[in-house]
Amino acid sequence: MTLVGWFQILLYCAIVVALVKPLGWYMTRVFSGERTFLSPILRPVEAGLYWIGGVDEKREQHWLTYTVAMLLFHVGGFLIIYGLMRLQAMLPFNPAGQSAVAQDLSFNTAISFITNTNWQNYGGESTLSYLTQMLGLTHQNFLSAATGIALAVALIRGFSRSSMRTIGNFWVDVTRCTLYVLLPICFVYTLFLVWQGIPQTLGAYVEATTLEGGKQTIAVGPVASQVAIKMLGTNGGGFFNANASHPFENPTALSNFVQMISIFALGAALTNVFGRMVGNQRQGWAILGVMGVLFLAGVAVTYWAEANGTSTLSALGFSGGNMEGKEVRFGIVASSLFAVITTAASCGAVNAMHDSFTALGGMIPLLNIQLGEIIVGGVGAGLYGMLLFVVLAIFVAGLMVGRTPEFVGKKIEAREVKMAMLAILILPLMILGWTAVAVVFPPAVASIANAGPHGFTEVLYAFTSATGNNGSAFGGLTGNTFFYNLTLASSMFVGRFFMIVPAMALAGSLAAKKSIPPSAGTLPTTGGLFVGLVVGVILIIGGLTFFPALALGPIVEHLAMNANTLF
C-alpha cells in the first residue's frame, strides 16, 4: 500500500461526500413536486406523460396499490426484453446479424434487467443486436433504477408522514425520477464518456488488419449511452463481455474515476433526502456514517490483500502485489477500490477479474453483497435495505433498555420488526439454499471450473450476486446452462421483489402511525453510539447467516495460499 493509493481513496470519498447535499437537496425538491431549474423544460413533458397514461398526479396510493403498480410495471418490462431477444434476428439495427437468443437465456436476462441485477450469461457484442441493447437493456436500466429510488422515497414517506394511509404515487415517482434525475445527468455523462473515447454509433462492426496481417472484427455500437446509466443507476450490465475492463467501456483512468463516483453518487445522496424529509439532516448523515464505516473497512482489507499478494506469488518471484486479472491502466488501488464500490452498491460492473483476487481480497466483494448491499447500495435499494437494519437496531436497543423503541418519531413495534426480518431473511434462504443444491447436483457441478474451496466460492458468489441483485461474477463458472439460467433467475426475482413487498408494508405501517415527540428515554439516533449500534447489528446478522458458508471458501483458500508464511 502507498500514500498515493490512499490519497486516491480519500479523494474519492471526499468527492462523494461533497455531492451528497446538493444532490439530496435537488432530489428532495423533485419528489416533493417542487419547482426545479429543469421544470420549464420538463414539466410539459411530465404532464403529457400523465395525460397519455391516464395518471392523476394528485391522487396518492395505499402501500399495497403502490406495490401492485410496481409489480405490473415490471411484468411489462419483462415481456419487452424477452420479446426483443427472441425476435432480434427479424428486427432492425442488427448489423452483426445476431440470431435469436435461446429461451432459457432470454428468460434469465429479462429477469436480470428488470430486477436491476444485470447478471449476464452471455457476451453482449456476440449475442445482442443494437436494438436489444438500446430498447431492451438500456431502457430497463433507466426504469429499474428509477423504481429503486421511487421505493426508497416511498419508505422515507412512511417515516416522515403521520396518520396517513398513502405513501405516494408510483407512476408519478418513477416518471419524475426518470425525467428530472436520471435522464439529465446521463445526457451530460454520455457526452463526457464519448469525449473519453467510448463509441456511440449505429454503424456496423469495424474490420481491421492486425500488424501480423490478420483480420479482426472490432465491435462498436451505442456504448456510451448504456455505460452512463449502467453506472449511475447501479445496473452494471456491460455492452461488452469484458465490462468495465474493456477499453471501449472504460478507456482511461479519468473515465474509471468518474464511473466509480457515479456508482455511489445517487445512493449516498438519498441519505440526505431521508434527513431532509424527516426534518433532521443529521439523521441522514448518521446513516451515511454507518455506510462509510463498513465501506472503508472493506476497502482497507481489499487494498491490503491485493497490494501484499500471497506467499505463493512471492515464492514464484512476483513482487509488488497481485496484478493477476487487473488492467495495467488502472493498477491495484483503482481495481481494489472499484471492486469494493461495485459490490457495496448493487452495481456489478467490474474493471478487474474478482476470480483472480487474493482469497481475502475476493472475500470482501462477496461479503458486501451478502450483507444486503446496504453500504450505499443500489440506487434506492441500498437505502431501504439499510433502513430495515436500522429498524432492527432500534428494536435491539429497546430490548436493552426495556422500553418501546422509537425512530424519527415513530414507535417500532412487532409488525415493523417482523416485516424487516422477513425482508432480510430472504437473502440467506436463496443464497445458501441454491448453493447447497448446486454443489451436489451433477449438471451444476459440471459447470464448476475449479476444484476445492475456490470452486465452491465461485458457486456461492454466483447465487450471492444474483440474490443480492448485484450482477458481478466471480468467474470460472459456466453459467449459461439450463440449470443456472433458471435458478439464478429465481434468485434474482426473489431477492428483488420478495424484499420489496415487506419493505413497502413497513412503509404503509409507519405512515399510518402518529408521530411522537422525543422524550428523555429516546435513544439518540444521530451520533456515534447509534452508528456503532447499527454497524454491530449488521455484522452480527451477516455473521450468523453467512459466516459458515463464507469460511468454507475464501478463508480456507487464504490459509492454503499462505501456508508457507503461516506455518
Side-chain angles (χ1 to χ4, degrees):
M1 295 191 289
T2 66
L3 288 176
V4 173
W6 278 110
F7 175 78
Q8 292 182 53
I9 293 169
L10 294 176
L11 177 63
Y12 170 81
C13 294
I15 293 175
V16 170
V17 171
L19 291 172
V20 166
K21 288 196 72 170
L23 282 174
W25 171 82
Y26 176 73
M27 286 195 287
T28 303
R29 293 187 66 87
V30 168
F31 290 108
S32 299
E34 300 177 35
R35 185 178 176 85
T36 71
F37 70 97
L38 291 175
S39 295
I41 301 172
L42 296 179
R43 176 57 192 168
V45 179
E46 179 189 0
L49 290 174
Y50 295 150
W51 180 79
I52 293 171
V55 174
D56 181 359
E57 63 179 301
K58 296 182 180 179
R59 183 178 181 181
E60 293 199 344
Q61 298 168 320
H62 183 267
W63 77 265
L64 187 58
T65 309
Y66 195 101
T67 305
V68 170
M70 178 273 300
L71 294 173
L72 292 175
F73 183 62
H74 284 79
V75 169
F78 171 85
L79 294 175
I80 290 172
I81 299 177
Y82 186 83
L84 284 170
M85 296 187 77
R86 295 292 294 147
L87 299 172
Q88 73 175 4
M90 299 181 288
L91 297 173
F93 300 108
N94 187 10
Q98 307 289 8
S99 59
V101 182
Q103 295 180 30
D104 58 327
L105 181 55
S106 297
F107 178 79
N108 178 280
T109 305
I111 294 291
S112 177
F113 277 79
I114 67 169
T115 57
N116 201 248
T117 308
N118 297 37
W119 174 273
Q120 295 175 288
N121 276 337
Y122 61 88
E125 68 269 47
S126 60
T127 308
L128 302 181
S129 68
Y130 291 171
L131 184 67
T132 303
Q133 294 270 26
M134 293 185 297
L135 185 57
L137 307 191
T138 305
H139 165 246
Q140 279 303 309
N141 282 350
F142 276 97
L143 298 184
S144 63
T147 297
I149 295 174
L151 294 169
V153 172
L155 182 54
I156 293 171
R157 292 191 185 111
F159 283 100
S160 64
R161 293 182 171 183
S162 177
S163 303
M164 293 187 66
R165 293 179 54 82
T166 60
I167 58 172
N169 186 307
F170 174 75
W171 307 112
V172 173
D173 288 341
V174 166
T175 301
R176 286 177 177 167
C177 184
T178 305
L179 279 181
Y180 289 92
V181 180
L182 299 179
L183 278 172
I185 297 176
C186 284
F187 180 80
V188 178
Y189 194 3
T190 299
L191 295 178
F192 165 80
L193 294 175
V194 170
W195 170 57
Q196 286 293 292
I198 297 181
Q200 182 69 19
T201 178
L202 294 177
Y205 289 3
V206 177
E207 296 291 334
T209 303
T210 66
L211 294 175
E212 292 82 9
K215 297 294 183 181
Q216 180 180 358
T217 300
I218 300 176
V220 292
V223 183
S225 56
Q226 182 168 323
V227 171
I229 186 56
K230 92 165 187 180
M231 294 302 189
L232 183 69
T234 61
N235 297 279
F239 192 97
F240 301 103
N241 189 39
N243 208 284
S245 63
H246 196 291
F248 280 178
E249 285 202 34
N250 194 7
T252 68
L254 178 59
S255 70
N256 185 72
F257 193 73
V258 172
Q259 287 183 26
M260 290 192 295
I261 290 172
S262 65
I263 293 172
F264 265 14
L266 296 182
L270 280 168
T271 62
N272 188 257
V273 174
F274 175 80
R276 290 177 185 275
M277 293 183 72
V278 299
N280 185 352
Q281 291 189 48
R282 293 181 62 192
Q283 299 286 355
W285 288 115
I287 292 175
L288 186 61
V290 174
M291 296 174 176
V293 169
L294 294 170
F295 171 69
L296 288 174
V299 170
V301 172
T302 303
Y303 184 26
W304 174 84
E306 296 307 302
N308 284 278
T310 66
S311 59
T312 303
L313 288 173
S314 299
L316 294 173
F318 294 103
S319 60
N322 175 33
M323 274 298 293
E324 166 69 21
K326 298 177 177 65
E327 293 294 307
V328 175
R329 69 184 185 277
F330 302 140
I332 289 176
V333 61
S335 300
S336 301
L337 182 59
F338 198 110
V340 178
I341 292 167
T342 196
T343 51
S346 65
C347 183
V350 292
N351 74 348
M353 178 60 72
H354 293 181
D355 190 51
S356 297
F357 276 34
T358 62
L360 292 185
M363 183 185 74
I364 296 301
L366 179 62
L367 179 61
N368 284 345
I369 308 172
Q370 289 183 343
L371 291 178
E373 291 181 306
I374 41 133
I375 309 169
V376 176
V379 285
L383 181 63
Y384 64 69
M386 176 60 78
L387 289 174
L388 295 174
F389 278 101
V390 168
V391 167
L392 295 181
I394 293 296
F395 172 68
V396 170
L399 291 177
M400 291 191 290
V401 299
R403 58 170 288 161
T404 303
E406 305 165 14
F407 182 59
V408 294
K410 295 296 180 72
K411 285 188 176 294
I412 305 300
E413 299 176 300
R415 176 178 172 81
E416 289 75 41
V417 175
K418 289 176 182 178
M419 289 301 102
M421 282 305 305
L422 181 61
I424 291 172
L425 289 176
I426 289 299
L427 299 178
L429 174 66
M430 296 305 295
I431 295 170
L432 301 182
W434 279 124
T435 299
V437 173
V439 295
V440 297
F441 186 52
V445 174
S447 293
I448 304 173
N450 297 284
H454 194 79
F456 175 83
T457 303
E458 291 171 354
V459 177
L460 177 65
Y461 193 103
F463 287 107
T464 299
S465 179
T467 306
N469 302 134
N470 183 269
S472 64
F474 211 62
L477 180 72
T478 303
N480 189 17
T481 66
F482 185 80
F483 173 83
Y484 281 109
N485 278 332
L486 265 61
T487 56
L488 289 170
S490 70
S491 298
M492 291 184 279
F493 184 87
V494 171
R496 177 74 163 182
F497 298 115
F498 280 48
M499 186 176 184
I500 285 173
V501 174
M504 290 300 97
L506 175 63
S509 176
L510 291 169
K513 289 176 177 286
K514 294 181 179 180
S515 293
I516 57 175
S519 64
T522 301
L523 173 71
T525 55
T526 58
L529 176 63
F530 173 73
V531 170
L533 175 65
V534 178
V535 169
V537 167
I538 291 169
L539 293 178
I540 289 171
I541 292 177
L544 290 175
T545 52
F546 290 116
F547 187 78
L550 201 63
L552 289 176
I555 294 178
V556 172
E557 186 180 357
H558 171 76
L559 296 175
M561 295 179 68
N562 291 276
N564 294 336
T565 301
L566 295 171
F567 305 106

